[in-house]
Amino acid sequence: MRRFLVDRASIENVNVVQQEAELEPSPNVVNEFNPNEIETNELSNILQRKDLNIVNAMELVDVVKARLGTMRESGGNNFFADVQGFCVAKSILVPNMDDEIPVRGRSRAEGRTITNLHHYRAEIFYVAIDKICVEMDHRFSEGSNIILDCFSCLDPKNSFSKFDVDKLARLADIYHADFSDDDRGTIRDQLETYVLQVRRNASFSTCEDVQSLAMKMVQTEKHLVFPLVYKLIELALILPVSTTSVERAFSAMKIIKSKLRNKINDVWFNDLMVCYTEREIFKSLDDIDIIQTFTAKKSRKGHLPRNFI
């Protein structure tokens, strides 16, 4: 019990530290005009949500890649104008883009020079965009895009207009551990019957996303009629938990297991992780109720004051 209360207090201290860190201002001008932040803000926000809509995420990935490509090809002038306006407003000296400077990494004796415009555009702007694109391709590889594209076929909008039997049946092969050989042989017929029935059922026309579709299937008991289709929906809902929430948990590990807790055992560390990841639930619990619950489990030598009983 004492350990649980200490864990709860520790988690509250971690939250305070995080809030203070979030309030710290940006240390330099570069952060004000970060191409990664400008182009991927919407994608970052939706990927950090617990109720991630897989269809929206798939669409935003393609949109972000297209916008980064457009920004590299024709967005340099507009970006430079924005940075120049910011520097003028903050009384920051803007160098003359036509002035020549020595090539970095080369001996000055060679006499090789480039203009400031070439330096900022080719060596900084283009390089930053290319690194972001490479990271995007790494994070959203071809295999990940295939899975996202297949799951996007479950979108119930516009009378299941994106429904594709071939792509959804392919998921049974990708997640072969969750589907038996018999399941993979019959899933196509079940998918075809499923889409015909839900399109004729007016109650499914109100579904806006995969989450609402899963709830409607349970309400209408369609999850019992089409168990393989419902398993695909469950996998689509579990997918965000296996990506965003896991990354968030690893970030929490670095905060919880600090230098002062470098010898923390696995059991206590696991308890702290549970308290942190489910902190919204733990905030709603009353300390007195927790103490009374632990006390009622077994008799102890020490007795609580009367106001706790």
Side-chain angles (χ1 to χ4, degrees):
M1 179 178 65
R2 179 180 61 82
R3 176 176 290 182
F4 179 86
L5 296 177
V6 172
D7 292 351
R8 183 169 180 173
S10 301
I11 296 301
E12 291 177 354
N13 292 334
V14 170
N15 291 335
V16 171
V17 172
Q18 280 190 322
Q19 292 174 0
E20 292 177 352
E22 292 174 355
L23 294 176
E24 292 182 357
S26 177
N28 51 47
V29 178
V30 176
N31 290 335
E32 295 288 341
F33 294 96
N34 188 346
N36 191 5
E37 180 180 352
I38 293 174
E39 299 296 329
T40 63
N41 187 43
E42 295 83 359
L43 180 62
S44 299
N45 290 337
I46 194 171
L47 289 177
Q48 292 173 13
R49 290 172 52 187
K50 290 185 177 180
D51 57 338
L52 171 62
N53 189 320
I54 198 68
V55 178
N56 290 340
M58 181 60 191
E59 293 175 351
L60 279 175
V61 168
D62 295 334
V63 170
V64 168
K65 288 183 177 180
R67 290 194 63 189
L68 287 173
T70 303
M71 187 175 184
R72 190 187 190 283
E73 296 297 329
S74 58
N77 294 332
N78 294 334
F79 183 75
F80 174 74
D82 292 338
V83 175
Q84 189 176 29
F86 175 84
C87 293
V88 172
K90 301 297 181 180
S91 300
I92 301 175
L93 180 63
V94 179
N96 187 351
M97 293 296 106
D98 295 328
D99 290 347
E100 294 188 351
I101 58 175
V103 177
R104 297 191 179 188
R106 295 282 184 176
S107 173
R108 289 179 178 267
E110 296 181 6
R112 298 181 59 181
T113 59
I114 57 174
T115 62
N116 280 323
L117 179 62
H118 177 83
H119 169 66
Y120 285 110
R121 174 171 292 177
E123 298 182 359
I124 297 180
F125 181 74
Y126 288 163
V127 172
I129 295 294
D130 291 341
K131 287 184 177 180
I132 295 171
C133 292
V134 170
E135 183 66 19
M136 288 284 294
D137 292 336
H138 174 70
R139 294 276 180 163
F140 303 97
S141 60
E142 183 179 357
S144 300
N145 289 340
I146 291 174
I147 294 177
L148 291 174
D149 184 47
C150 292
F151 276 126
S152 66
C153 297
L154 292 170
D155 186 14
K157 293 181 180 178
N158 299 324
S159 187
F160 296 85
S161 59
K162 296 183 179 180
F163 198 88
D164 191 315
V165 174
D166 294 332
K167 291 182 179 180
L168 292 173
R170 187 178 182 182
L171 288 172
D173 296 328
I174 297 175
Y175 293 92
H176 56 86
D178 296 294
F179 296 90
S180 64
D181 293 337
D182 293 337
D183 293 340
R184 288 192 289 271
T186 59
I187 192 171
R188 287 181 177 273
D189 293 335
Q190 192 171 125
L191 286 168
E192 292 175 355
T193 306
Y194 161 79
V195 69
L196 289 175
Q197 188 164 354
V198 294
R199 282 173 176 171
R200 295 177 180 179
N201 195 329
S203 61
F204 283 87
S205 61
T206 59
C207 297
E208 296 292 335
D209 48 31
V210 180
Q211 291 91 328
S212 60
L213 175 62
M215 295 175 61
K216 184 62 66 175
M217 287 194 67
V218 174
Q219 292 173 1
T220 58
E221 297 185 352
K222 298 295 184 187
H223 68 297
L224 303 176
V225 181
F226 305 103
L228 299 181
V229 180
Y230 187 71
K231 184 178 291 187
L232 291 177
I233 296 176
E234 287 180 324
L235 291 173
L237 296 175
I238 293 173
L239 182 63
V241 177
S242 63
T243 54
T244 309
S245 298
V246 172
E247 292 182 3
R248 189 180 295 112
F250 275 103
S251 299
M253 290 174 61
K254 298 179 182 179
I255 300 175
I256 295 175
K257 196 167 185 178
S258 60
K259 293 182 179 180
L260 299 178
R261 298 197 189 102
N262 57 355
K263 295 183 179 180
I264 186 173
N265 59 52
D266 293 338
V267 177
W268 194 4
F269 182 64
N270 183 66
D271 294 340
L272 283 170
M273 288 294 298
V274 172
C275 293
Y276 180 83
T277 54
E278 303 296 341
R279 57 189 178 276
E280 296 300 328
I281 297 177
F282 280 88
K283 286 179 181 179
S284 62
L285 300 179
D286 187 21
D287 292 341
I288 296 179
D289 294 337
I290 298 172
I291 294 173
Q292 291 176 347
T293 301
F294 276 90
T295 304
K297 286 188 174 182
K298 64 178 182 179
S299 59
R300 308 174 188 275
K301 293 182 179 180
H303 298 283
L304 294 173
R306 293 183 177 274
N307 58 336
F308 283 96
I309 302 176

